[in-house]
Amino acid sequence: MFADSVDSDIAPSGTLLGLLQRGRGDGTLHALAAPRAEALAALSRCLRRDPRRDWQLEHRSLYYARLHMELNAGLDDIEDHLFCPADLVDTGEERTGLALSVLGHLASYGDRGALLLLRRYAAHGANWQWALDELAVRDDDAGLRSLGPAVLERFPDTPEGDAELAAAVRDAFEPRPWRLWAEDPGRPAQAKRLARARERGSFDRWQRQLRPAGPRPGWSVREVLDWAQDDGPLSHGPADPPARNPRQREAAAARCLAAVAGPEDRPELLAAARYGPDRARAAALRHLAESGDPDALDLIEAAATDPASPPDAPSGTVARAALEAFSRMRGVAALDRARRWARREDALGAAAAAMLACRGGRKDVGPVLAALRRTVRAEGPDSEALWPLVDGVGRLTVRCAAPVLRHVYRETASSQLRGRTARALAATDPSFPAGFAIECLWDCEESTREVAARHATTGDTRVVERLRRLAADPAEEAGVQSAVRGRLGSADPAR
């Protein structure tokens, strides 16, 4: 009935590996019931090859750390992964970031070996900044001070090395280790070098502020549109790489247009939105949509349905910008137009259905449900287009959407989408409290565990035991613990 995930790196959802890769609660439950060797092999695969579709958005580290402790897995496999020869050539943080985060959680649970392994990797590993950030919030002052010489040795005592050191100090996510090293009385040469690096970082920041590359006061609408079309960097500075993200430039240009454009500039903006070059046209469309211009919706329709500029093509800047501009509109006219467009089976129809899902009423249930089913069939359970539609059927309490939602919950590789689906199921599926809500208590996403804590039936003995463990776990998020304690303290815990 539905398309399956096309991500070849993710195992089928019915396998132990597939469950663990997705971060599902059933992954932990199945791993604890499986032969230990099989569970360890699946866990190792997840740590060595990060399965997340978006490693900067989705959570897995606490989930894997908890399973690691339950299996008493030891640290040898993580150590082999961190210090394998690939670490010398593959320096991207994606290769080791998940394993380092897992070590950080293990250290928080009191695993001394994990702490020492983090220190060793911070001193000698390629992704040392990540390890240092983990240690910055978990290690004591003495342990962090001992790492200072090894970290500073990474930066040769040359002008290039000093520049790299200044950038590292300036951009550090966790400043605590650098502060301790700069204040270490036992290493005055180190403190002096770090003081110079801090001074240089402050000077570089001051230079960037003095030499902005963007629009200046007094620019005209034409100058802003020309800047939007320009292919140069958004900003420049002594340590800044060029930034060429067209969406950032469009957003900045639209803000500038809002500041400089007056009623007399409307003809020029309308002409740019109809016939201008791609990036200038995109900026003009965004400005007109955000200012509520009466012609904005017609211009958006023309741009989004231009056969020469599909949104998924390399030249689709205008179509993509038109759809994004429409999605940000909040007026009644935009909602009425969305009802006209929602039954289209193209990108404009999908954007219209998403708007109805977010802002529509009961009379919009049909188009939203149809768009949900159509998207799952055509694009599978991992499509980003599902996110607002899943939220919408939950918000509108579309109970007949429950079968599709259950399919998305089982199959999607995105733990964020699965969490949204769990919230929608809580509103639409009467079987959720005694079904998926129970496994959600072991889910990798804190928001999903919070939904489970509020809805899972306590008639199942596993639920009460899990709620108590979450309430006592110092690594659990505050929102989850608040929901858990509310359930445990309820006068009517059964559901």
Side-chain angles (χ1 to χ4, degrees), residues 51 66 95 98 102 150 154 170 251 253 294 317 332 347 353 362 365 457:
R66 285 170 167 168
R95 192 188 77 84
L98 180 57
V102 168
R154 296 177 179 274
R170 184 193 66 220
T317 298
V332 175
R362 291 298 305 172
V365 164
T457 177

Side-chain angles (χ1 to χ4, degrees), residues 79-90:
E79 182 177 6
D80 290 344
H81 172 57
L82 293 179
F83 291 100
C84 75
D87 198 58
L88 301 175
V89 292
D90 185 358

Side-chain angles (χ1 to χ4, degrees), residues 195-234:
R196 291 197 306 269
R198 284 185 170 183
E199 183 178 350
R200 174 165 182 166
S202 299
F203 181 72
D204 290 348
R205 189 177 296 111
W206 176 70
Q207 282 187 307
R208 290 197 304 275
Q209 292 169 348
L210 285 181
R211 294 203 302 262
R216 311 289 204 278
W219 274 29
S220 66
V221 166
R222 171 48 48 197
E223 287 171 314
V224 173
L225 292 173
D226 289 343
W227 176 79
Q229 186 61 31
D230 182 18
D231 195 36
L234 289 176

Side-chain angles (χ1 to χ4, degrees), residues 144-284:
L144 288 173
R145 285 196 186 99
S146 68
L147 292 173
V151 171
L152 265 66
E153 281 180 5
R154 296 177 179 274
F155 305 95
D157 195 5
T158 63
E160 294 77 11
D162 289 342
E164 293 175 1
L165 177 60
V169 174
R170 184 193 66 220
D171 300 335
F173 185 73
E174 292 287 351
R176 179 177 167 230
W178 300 95
R179 177 178 55 79
L180 289 172
W181 299 336
E183 298 172 356
D184 190 346
R187 298 184 174 93
Q190 172 181 287
K192 185 180 295 185
R193 190 179 183 200
L194 284 171
R196 291 197 306 269
R198 284 185 170 183
E199 183 178 350
R200 174 165 182 166
S202 299
F203 181 72
D204 290 348
R205 189 177 296 111
W206 176 70
Q207 282 187 307
R208 290 197 304 275
Q209 292 169 348
L210 285 181
R211 294 203 302 262
R216 311 289 204 278
W219 274 29
S220 66
V221 166
R222 171 48 48 197
E223 287 171 314
V224 173
L225 292 173
D226 289 343
W227 176 79
Q229 186 61 31
D230 182 18
D231 195 36
L234 289 176
S235 61
H236 64 81
D240 287 339
R244 298 178 183 270
N245 187 331
R247 299 190 185 193
Q248 292 179 2
R249 186 174 288 276
E250 290 160 19
R255 290 193 296 271
C256 292
L257 289 172
V260 305
E264 69 280 3
D265 298 304
R266 183 170 181 263
E268 183 176 5
L269 289 166
L270 291 174
R274 287 191 182 98
Y275 313 116
D278 283 1
R279 295 183 182 180
R281 188 179 178 190

Side-chain angles (χ1 to χ4, degrees), residues 306-446:
D306 183 354
S309 183
D312 57 347
S315 61
T317 298
V318 174
R320 185 263 310 152
L323 295 175
E324 291 180 353
F326 174 66
S327 69
R328 287 188 291 270
M329 297 182 75
R330 293 293 179 267
V332 175
L335 195 60
D336 290 341
R337 191 68 66 95
R339 293 187 172 109
R340 285 172 45 188
W341 291 341
R343 298 189 186 278
R344 301 173 61 115
E345 296 191 7
D346 57 7
L348 186 58
M355 178 175 286
L356 295 180
C358 295
R359 299 179 49 224
R362 291 298 305 172
K363 64 180 179 179
D364 301 310
V365 164
V368 173
L369 179 59
L372 175 68
R373 290 169 171 165
R374 182 170 62 246
T375 303
V376 173
R377 283 196 302 268
E379 303 179 28
D382 294 321
S383 171
E384 291 185 7
L386 287 173
W387 291 40
L389 300 174
V390 165
D391 290 345
V393 294
R395 183 180 71 85
L396 298 171
T397 319
V398 186
R399 297 192 181 279
C400 59
V404 184
L405 293 173
R406 287 194 289 266
H407 170 77
V408 173
Y409 178 95
R410 292 188 188 98
E411 298 299 329
T412 184
S414 168
S415 56
Q416 288 285 324
L417 177 56
R418 184 177 64 251
R420 289 170 176 259
T421 307
R423 288 192 291 275
L425 283 169
T428 61
D429 187 359
S431 69
F432 178 73
F436 285 140
I438 295 176
E439 76 153 286
C440 285
L441 289 169
W442 284 264
D443 197 87
C444 66
E445 297 291 342
E446 63 184 76

